[in-house]
Amino acid sequence: MAFRDKHPLWTSDQQERLAELTGDDPVVKELPLRRDVRSLGKILGDTLIEQVSAEFFGVVEELRSSLILRREEEAAGREAAKLLESARKLVSAMSVDDAHRVAKAFAIYFELVNLAETNHRKRRKRARELHEKVYLPGSFRGTLLRMKAVGLGADDAMQALS
């Protein structure tokens, strides 16, 4: 069974899907993005295992998780120097070729995350425009609709815009 079959990108409930895409709840609106990033990360991991080795993927994952933990510890105001030192030792023990592969794996991962974020922004914008006719604050169409809603006519709008 394929990864996508076991972990679908979208819920099958269309109302729930639309609520995720059009909602303002900070946690709910990021769910589709998190699923995309998790899925892309899984695909990249599977590719690293297939193209390099499971051991290499293990090193990449160890480095990734220790650096995430370091960031979380620092954010919580706790000492994280040992985690950084552990990551440095891990990288120092690598061959130049493996260090290059690790850097490339991280670069590819961050490029995938950036693409997922761009796609998520576009997907949310399109869903809001098509299904709710709600336009983002600051957009030209949204500004015109808000001007109309407060009673500004076309002449007043032209005056304001000039």
Side-chain angles (χ1 to χ4, degrees):
M1 179 179 272
F3 174 78
R4 190 174 220 176
D5 297 335
K6 290 187 279 187
H7 305 281
L9 292 177
W10 294 101
T11 175
S12 59
D13 182 335
Q14 293 299 309
Q15 291 302 319
E16 185 179 338
R17 180 178 174 179
L18 185 58
E20 287 178 351
L21 290 173
T22 58
D24 290 324
D25 180 293
V27 174
V28 173
K29 75 179 187 178
E30 297 300 323
L31 290 175
L33 174 60
R34 289 181 181 279
R35 280 194 298 269
D36 287 352
V37 169
R38 201 170 36 252
S39 297
L40 290 168
K42 171 72 171 120
I43 292 167
L44 177 60
D46 291 347
T47 303
L48 291 175
I49 291 169
E50 178 185 304
Q51 298 294 317
V52 184
S53 71
E55 293 79 22
F56 175 77
F57 175 69
V59 170
V60 171
E61 277 299 293
E62 183 181 345
L63 186 57
R64 183 186 69 82
S65 52
S66 70
L67 292 173
I68 288 171
L69 184 57
R70 174 189 166 263
R71 184 186 65 217
E72 290 170 351
E73 291 295 308
E74 283 185 345
R78 294 187 288 268
E79 179 59 37
K82 288 182 183 178
L83 290 166
L84 185 57
E85 186 57 33
S86 170
R88 281 190 181 127
K89 284 181 184 177
L90 189 61
V91 172
S92 296
M94 291 179 194
S95 68
V96 171
D97 285 341
D98 280 345
H100 179 261
R101 283 187 190 115
V102 167
K104 185 85 170 173
F106 275 95
I108 291 168
Y109 174 76
F110 289 122
E111 181 65 25
L112 290 171
V113 169
N114 287 338
L115 290 169
E117 288 172 343
T118 298
N119 184 58
H120 181 66
R121 252 189 332 274
K122 289 178 180 179
R123 180 173 52 206
R124 280 185 50 82
K125 181 177 186 267
R126 188 172 51 245
R128 291 181 77 149
E129 288 175 351
L130 292 175
H131 296 286
E132 290 186 0
K133 299 294 183 206
V134 174
Y135 299 96
L136 296 175
S139 71
F140 187 68
R141 188 169 194 156
T143 301
L144 290 176
L145 289 172
R146 281 189 303 284
M147 290 169 77
K148 183 178 180 181
V150 296
L152 285 175
D155 292 335
D156 296 327
M158 289 304 292
Q159 178 77 23
L161 291 173
S162 66

